[in-house]
């Protein structure tokens, strides 16, 4: 049997369809003939791809008359692992995968300048020079987390850019919640916590002019399968991982897919309806409302009760002298009062 | 006589000091010995530089026993022409001069990413692909204008970035007024007009994250000596040049220096004192306050009376139903009522 689509179909696409088929029939035999028919390629070509996958760490049993059976796949967040789970229109439809990289943000900025489409994603197994807010370093060890940067091109003025940080907090939280069911709460403006401990950080960077944003890079870092027991005590006090909280290892590709789906949905709704519904969703899951907090800004500290967000996404704090909007700050409060 | 600083002093710096000395003694003889002493270099080296300058279009008379006399200099905005007039601390202290370039903004973005210091300036005689707001093209013909991009690194959050557009409008206007005395008015947010006709456009672009601006590029384009009579009628109706309004050609280097000085002063004061004084200065020279205007935003049009700026730099417009802040818009009003 010859490959009827040969020459018109990209090798990469054949490979992705093959992996998708094997994953969807995980631990079950599927005949070489059926694979060949569904992927649209010769059995010899299928065999070649199977050999390649084995070389990359996939364990695939081959049995005469039964066919192939996927019994183990390596723990990777490569596009072919994510795509079988991904039901989005634009988000993650173009992907750059890096086994190791200095920083997904840096690659995404460059790609955006070169014209990357909206939804383009840079994802890495490991970052050597990961960055957090305000240029802080962000620890991104190999294969234990999700380190990714999503490129957006929202048609909004610069003054609305802070909406996107909050939008991202809500969307990423929903994707993580859908997969894990864990009680994740938002710390303004851009951290996700479980029981007061950081499990995810979001960094929103952009380039623009007053009238419009040219592009936004949402940098998302999630501690997924990190072995928290090996962390030093002072880190254990302030950070955790999804696996530690869930009590089981979490397969990363469906989590990436769920986050991209939730982000795309909430983003499209934001472009149609504006900021109000994000504010409501944010207020439902924020871990600090009605609490007494201290916000440290470059102009000094404000202590008071966190009330809600205003239309620009600033946090309104009620102090003895009135209500103060805070646009950018380090926020501290008694996370113990926040356990759920 | 040997050059005592030879080997320690850069050729470029010798050249700049020589030009500065000639310009400050324009049309007067200055002896080779005095030049040699003041620039700190041998008379042979001075002679070599004089020859080079002649080659570039400077006309310098040399007379035995009298010395050198500058009688004509080419119309350029190269660093050596600007520096003799420049009294700033940081602004323009590092300069990249391009006889012709696609866009000074593009070069400045790249330089900023590579770590250019605050105040670094890219300046060109001609732009082939000059840009205005919202990606519009900006006509930048050779040697008739000032096309430049200034790099700033203000320690402010992203929400305050719109302050810089207004700061730039006020600073550039003051520099232009100091040199020309012309009645220049500001059109919100970033155009400068004379008698309702555009003479200068300012484009503020930036890169940053929610908590801080990484860098800002102020792009400034000024029609200085353009021959307006050669423009088509429809352009003549909406734009003008300083030379046309002043009735005489304007030497560009001192104008560049005056603008950089005013910008540095106002910028430093902004960092010390905040936005209020800029708002006041802006309101003094804005050409649209108390007028009925129409502001076209991406969400539709607002027609009403332009009142003042709010703390974020938004224009407050009083309509039949209340006061609306406008953060980004195209503004139109009857410029005829604005003549001074």
């Amino acid at each position: 049997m010859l490959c009827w689509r040969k020459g018109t179909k990209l090798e990469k696409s054949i490979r992705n369809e093959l992996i998708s088929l094997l994953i969807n029939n995980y631990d079950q035999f599927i005949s070489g003939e059926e694979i060949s028919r569904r992927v649209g390629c010769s059995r010899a070509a299928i065999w070649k791809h199977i050999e390649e996958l084995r070389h990359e760490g996939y364990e695939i049993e081959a049995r005469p008359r039964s066919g192939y059976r996927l019994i183990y796949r390596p723990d990777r967040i490569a596009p072919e692992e994510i795509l079988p789970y991904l039901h989005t229109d634009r988000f993650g439809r173009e992907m750059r995968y890096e086994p190791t990289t200095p920083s997904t943000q840096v690659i995404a900025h460059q790609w955006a300048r070169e014209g990357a489409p909206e939804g383009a994603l840079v994802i890495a197994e490991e970052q050597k020079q990961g960055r957090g807010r305000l240029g802080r370093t962000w620890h991104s060890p190999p294969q234990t987390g999700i380190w990714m940067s999503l490129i957006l091109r929202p048609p909004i003025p610069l003054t609305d850019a802070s909406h996107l940080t909050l939008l991202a907090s809500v969307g990423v939280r929903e994707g993580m919640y859908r997969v894990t069911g864990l009680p994740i709460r938002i710390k303004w403006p851009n951290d996700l916590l479980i029981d007061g401990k950081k499990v995810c950080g979001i960094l929103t960077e952009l380039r623009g002019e007053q009238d419009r944003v040219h592009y936004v890079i949402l940098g998302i870092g999630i501690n997924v399968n990190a072995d928290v027991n090996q962390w030093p005590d002072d880190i254990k006090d302030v950070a955790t991982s999804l696996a530690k909280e869930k009590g089981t290892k979490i397969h990363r590709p469906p989590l990436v897919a769920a986050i991209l789906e939730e982000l795309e949905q909430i983003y499209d709704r934001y472009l149609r309806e504006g900021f109000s519904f994000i504010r409501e969703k944010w207020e439902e899951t924020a871990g600090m409302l009605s609490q007494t907090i201290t916000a440290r800004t470059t102009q000094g500290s404000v202590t008071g009760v966190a009330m809600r967000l205003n239309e620009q996404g600033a946090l309104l704090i009620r102090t003895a002298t009135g209500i103060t909007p805070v646009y950018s700050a380090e926020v501290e409060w008694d996370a113990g009062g926040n356990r759920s």
Side-chain angles (χ1 to χ4, degrees), chain A:
Chain A
M1 181 187 175
L2 282 170
C3 179
W4 62 273
R5 280 194 268 181
K6 195 171 175 177
T8 59
K9 197 164 184 180
L10 289 169
E11 286 294 298
K12 196 173 146 193
S13 137
I14 293 172
R15 178 193 157 94
N16 286 349
E17 283 184 35
L18 172 61
I19 293 177
S20 194
L21 199 59
L22 289 170
I23 288 176
N24 290 334
N25 291 277
Y26 189 77
D27 209 26
Q28 292 166 34
F29 278 102
I30 176 165
S31 76
E33 196 176 335
E34 190 180 348
I35 296 177
S36 176
R37 189 173 47 79
R38 290 178 59 178
V39 174
C41 202
S42 75
R43 290 176 68 169
I46 296 296
W47 177 252
K48 198 195 76 187
H49 281 290
I50 295 273
E51 279 303 288
E52 251 183 48
L53 291 175
R54 282 172 167 165
H55 201 72
E56 290 171 21
Y58 290 80
E59 282 180 32
I60 300 163
E61 190 185 348
R63 192 184 290 176
R65 279 179 304 278
S66 299
Y68 300 100
R69 183 168 72 127
L70 177 63
I71 47 182
Y72 173 82
R73 48 189 162 136
D75 185 11
R76 302 196 314 153
I77 42 176
E80 59 264 30
E81 288 284 337
I82 296 168
L83 287 171
Y85 303 100
L86 191 66
H87 307 284
T88 56
D89 175 41
R90 286 131 38 240
F91 285 24
R93 287 293 150 193
E94 292 221 16
M95 248 188 262
R96 285 198 189 173
Y97 168 68
E98 306 282 338
T100 184
T101 183
S103 153
T104 59
Q105 288 293 97
V106 171
I107 295 179
H109 271 288
Q110 193 182 336
W111 197 9
R113 284 198 305 274
E114 290 164 359
E118 180 158 272
L121 184 79
V122 180
I123 190 163
E125 297 290 353
E126 178 184 23
Q127 291 186 110
K128 292 287 195 185
Q129 295 161 32
R131 287 185 283 138
R133 273 170 68 206
L134 301 168
R136 291 171 193 147
T137 56
W138 174 275
H139 186 56
S140 321
Q143 274 157 333
T144 64
I146 292 172
W147 328 118
M148 64 185 186
S149 297
L150 180 68
I151 297 170
L152 301 180
R153 298 188 178 277
I156 60 171
L158 201 59
T159 39
D160 287 351
S162 56
H163 293 168
L164 294 169
T165 303
L166 300 163
L167 181 157
S169 307
V170 171
V172 174
R173 186 204 158 277
E174 297 208 350
M176 286 166 68
Y177 180 73
R178 204 171 93 191
V179 170
T180 67
L182 289 166
I184 301 158
R185 286 174 171 263
I186 300 173
K187 177 183 169 191
W188 183 88
N190 62 352
D191 285 342
L192 299 181
L193 311 182
I194 298 175
D195 255 2
K197 292 180 182 177
K198 182 161 175 171
V199 71
C200 169
I202 296 166
L203 173 64
T204 316
E205 294 184 312
L206 62 81
R207 197 174 120 169
E209 62 193 87
Q210 172 149 6
D211 302 278
R212 60 165 186 164
V213 165
H214 298 161
Y215 65 77
V216 173
I217 315 279
L218 287 187
I220 298 162
I222 308 172
N223 297 328
V224 183
N225 293 320
D227 186 357
V228 174
N229 293 327
Q230 294 195 344
W231 289 354
D233 282 344
D234 56 332
I235 304 289
K236 268 192 245 183
D237 288 345
V238 296
T240 187
S241 74
L242 291 174
K244 154 88 179 164
E245 299 299 322
K246 187 76 183 165
T248 174
K249 208 175 162 206
I250 286 159
H251 190 48
R252 292 173 301 155
L255 179 56
V256 172
I259 289 169
L260 292 174
E261 283 166 24
E262 294 292 342
L263 279 174
E264 186 176 273
Q265 271 183 34
I266 198 172
Y267 177 74
D268 286 347
R269 189 171 164 200
Y270 165 70
L271 295 186
R272 284 195 311 272
E273 297 178 19
F275 181 58
S276 298
F277 83 98
I278 291 173
R279 187 158 65 156
E280 282 164 29
K281 275 178 183 282
W282 189 93
E283 287 173 356
E284 279 167 23
T285 47
M288 61 206 293
L289 294 188
S290 309
Q291 313 262 340
T292 297
I293 67 164
T294 296
R296 292 184 212 292
T297 75
T298 49
Q299 277 90 45
S301 282
V302 181
T303 297
V305 177
M307 300 183 60
R308 54 185 178 83
L309 302 180
N310 73 7
E311 266 300 322
Q312 271 83 50
L315 183 64
L316 298 178
I317 301 178
R318 193 179 56 224
T319 66
T321 55
I323 291 170
T324 304
V326 175
Y327 288 91
S328 163
E330 292 302 300
V331 169
E332 283 169 26
W333 82 104
D334 177 15
N338 181 36
R339 287 169 202 279
S340 49

